[in-house]
Amino acid sequence: MTESPADEGPTSDEEAEYFTGDGGVTAELIDRRPVIRRTVSTLYEARPKLNPNEAIRTFLDAIDLQERHGHMRVVDDLVGLQRRVGGHIERYKDKLLNAETKSGKTESAKFGIGHFNGERAVVYVVDWSFFAGSLGEVAGEKFVQAAELAEREQLPLVSMGASSGVRQHENVLGLIQMQRMAAAANKFQHTTNRPYICVLAGQVWGGMSASAVPNADLIVALEGTDYGFAGARVIETFEGKPVPKGMQSAEANYLDRNVDVLIKDVAELIDFLGRVFHSGRSPKRIHAGAPSGDPRMDSRALTCGAEGFSAALWDHQVIETTLAVARDRRDRSTGTLREALMSRYNEIAASATRLDTEYLLQTVFDTAVPFYNHVRFEEEKTYPNIIAALATIDEQSFMVIGDQPSYRISGSYVGKSPANPSPEDFEYAVRMMEAAERWGLPIVFFTDTLGALPTMAAERRGQSRAIARSIKKSASHPYPTVSVIIGAMGSGGGLATTPFGRETVMLDSALGFVSEPRSTATILYNEANPTLEQVGMTLETMRASADDLKAQGLVDTIVHDDDSPSQTARELRVAIVDGYNKQFGLAPRRLRQKADERLRPKTLGKLAVAEK
């Protein structure tokens, strides 16, 4: 990144002497040009574009693709689209012959079986070097056959490459390949429990971006990729103004949650896919065993890397600084119950010393493959509000979904920005639940949010609908679920990823409420700014503690939030394993029935009985 001219110092000794001379003239007085403020968009506006031909060639070499049906090619021009070039007419077959001569290939797509660190998968590749990766009947047919091969062999399906969209020369014959590809992906997903992962590499527009890509279980993009439905020129023609630079990059799409994971390069991509494929295991009862980490450690490590988007895999991230963040429970040294609850509430809202989902992914589980990145920009280390990962305990795989705070790091100071999920975050959570259902995986939920994002923009984007869909999906998951409340379980935004009624674990330092206490006090007292006394009484009488929720039959296990973070992680691991084993082997109908029985009203009829 380059600094603005106003931030530059003197360029020579003479300039330095001039600026500090007797006249009191300074650089600030001389240079009145406006300072251009840096924003997070600078991370992707100027990033280099990925070379799709090089990336695809490297990928194919790395996976040793065993191609199937490479002879398929267009043999007839049924449309006859032409254009005049100079003094002659150019036909479709002329374009095809020219593309074959330049690339040495006969079509834009190929498929076969590839190898990812010992794991096999069916791979469909769209190659930009032939006809800009455009989709026609041959490319569509190869995708259908790739999905059918993956179904027969019970292998994962990977779609990878770059595409300019549907091939204009085949008109509607090309267009309907979008329907065929979407249908083939749907059939594969309904007849197998193997992953379908789409990898964006270079430029992906039109046909691919609105058929094969969004129907994948997981959307992965190599950094430097551009992705969208309409290209920048089409949008500019319609809107009458240029598209801001970088706004259709994979990085911008990641921030909007249209892309799930950003990958640095092909080497990380191969490693990432291999770990995902290796994690699939048949369901079984498991033993807690002993996780890694010293149980005597009284702090957790918070790492900082270079500015930009992190590598997805933790062992691929370059760490520049590591801060030890000690666990500091402030609710223990207080006098009354109200004071303890207020300390707990304030800590949940603002303290960076609490354990978060990423730390628990790294300590509770034996392995984990993150389905997210974080962004380091100036002093901010920003995560998505909801993150997910494929994790294992005793070789049993789990989908893990949890709220994740972000951090402000300035020297040795660490500040916390709590998670307030948006509609896009809940939609991401639903897609991760759908993937878990397809892959036959139990889910572990980690909850820590005061509530969903309370903005008008979120409301207009469908916040209520997104929360409702997440509640519905989490509560109806056909495999075991374990809900772990590690901080605040606030309002519908918290409930969206905390299905009650099966197995619920709660830290003794956590709280659960229909609305965060200050908001509740505002409603109770009809005051915009309730007093500390009013908030304290509200919190004390709303019965929000772990003990209260257990007494109400909503929480099964309370885990002590120890001064040692790794000891807390060990106890959570035991509770999660116990909760999973209790549900192991139960049919989906029985799981839902047990939850319904546990959540039956507990207060109906009590008033009538009391009056007799």
Side-chain angles (χ1 to χ4, degrees), residues 259-307:
V259 167
D260 299 319
V261 188
L262 288 174
I263 300 293
K264 289 291 180 184
D265 51 35
V266 171
E268 187 187 19
L269 174 64
I270 302 298
D271 199 358
F272 177 88
L273 293 175
R275 295 189 199 188
V276 172
F277 302 152
H278 181 73
S279 294
R281 290 291 181 270
S282 299
K284 64 172 188 173
R285 291 188 182 277
I286 57 177
H287 301 281
S292 60
D294 186 348
R296 298 166 296 177
M297 292 292 291
D298 61 357
S299 64
R300 64 185 176 95
L302 186 64
T303 60
C304 303
E307 191 171 77

Side-chain angles (χ1 to χ4, degrees), residues 545-557:
S545 72
D547 289 332
D548 292 326
L549 268 63
K550 186 172 184 180
Q552 295 161 15
L554 297 174
V555 168
D556 300 281
T557 305

Side-chain angles (χ1 to χ4, degrees), residues 262-429:
L262 288 174
I263 300 293
K264 289 291 180 184
D265 51 35
V266 171
E268 187 187 19
L269 174 64
I270 302 298
D271 199 358
F272 177 88
L273 293 175
R275 295 189 199 188
V276 172
F277 302 152
H278 181 73
S279 294
R281 290 291 181 270
S282 299
K284 64 172 188 173
R285 291 188 182 277
I286 57 177
H287 301 281
S292 60
D294 186 348
R296 298 166 296 177
M297 292 292 291
D298 61 357
S299 64
R300 64 185 176 95
L302 186 64
T303 60
C304 303
E307 191 171 77
F309 294 85
S310 71
L313 298 174
W314 296 320
D315 54 354
H316 283 243
Q317 295 177 7
V318 178
I319 298 172
E320 296 182 345
T321 306
T322 301
L323 299 175
V325 181
R327 181 71 183 99
D328 180 21
R329 284 195 63 170
R330 302 173 187 177
D331 60 339
R332 291 176 179 167
S333 58
T334 54
T336 66
L337 174 62
R338 180 181 300 184
E339 290 171 339
L341 290 171
M342 284 295 289
S343 294
R344 197 172 298 172
Y345 168 49
N346 289 328
E347 182 191 87
I348 288 172
S351 176
T353 70
R354 295 191 63 88
L355 307 188
D356 60 21
T357 295
E358 183 169 79
Y359 174 80
L360 296 174
L361 277 169
Q362 294 171 337
T363 54
V364 168
F365 299 88
D366 298 328
T367 64
V369 185
F371 291 164
Y372 65 92
N373 308 75
H374 72 260
V375 183
R376 174 83 169 135
F377 179 71
E378 294 185 339
E379 294 184 336
E380 304 293 333
K381 185 178 183 181
T382 304
Y383 291 86
N385 290 291
I386 295 178
I387 62 175
L390 182 60
T392 63
I393 296 178
D394 191 22
E395 295 192 345
Q396 169 62 48
S397 294
F398 294 83
M399 181 68 79
V400 182
I401 300 170
D403 300 301
Q404 174 65 26
S406 296
Y407 298 99
R408 183 175 182 82
I409 303 167
S410 180
S412 60
Y413 167 78
V414 181
K416 171 185 172 182
S417 299
N420 292 114
S422 68
E424 294 77 16
D425 294 311
F426 292 119
E427 289 165 4
Y428 165 85

Side-chain angles (χ1 to χ4, degrees), residues 42 102 106 121 167 174 227 257 353 370 484 486 577 596:
T42 60
K102 285 184 177 180
T106 60
R167 193 171 296 174
Y227 170 55
R257 307 225 74 161
T353 70
V484 186
I486 60 175
V577 168
D596 290 343

Side-chain angles (χ1 to χ4, degrees), residues 439-485:
W439 302 349
L441 299 179
I443 301 178
V444 175
F445 295 96
F446 289 119
T447 302
D448 182 14
T449 178
L450 294 172
L453 185 66
T455 66
M456 279 307 304
E459 292 293 313
R460 295 184 66 181
R461 296 199 306 272
Q463 186 74 286
S464 296
R465 179 175 60 251
I467 291 172
R469 287 196 65 214
S470 188
I471 292 173
K472 174 184 176 182
K473 197 66 185 175
S474 63
S476 61
H477 189 64
Y479 304 103
T481 64
V482 180
S483 301
V484 186
I485 304 172

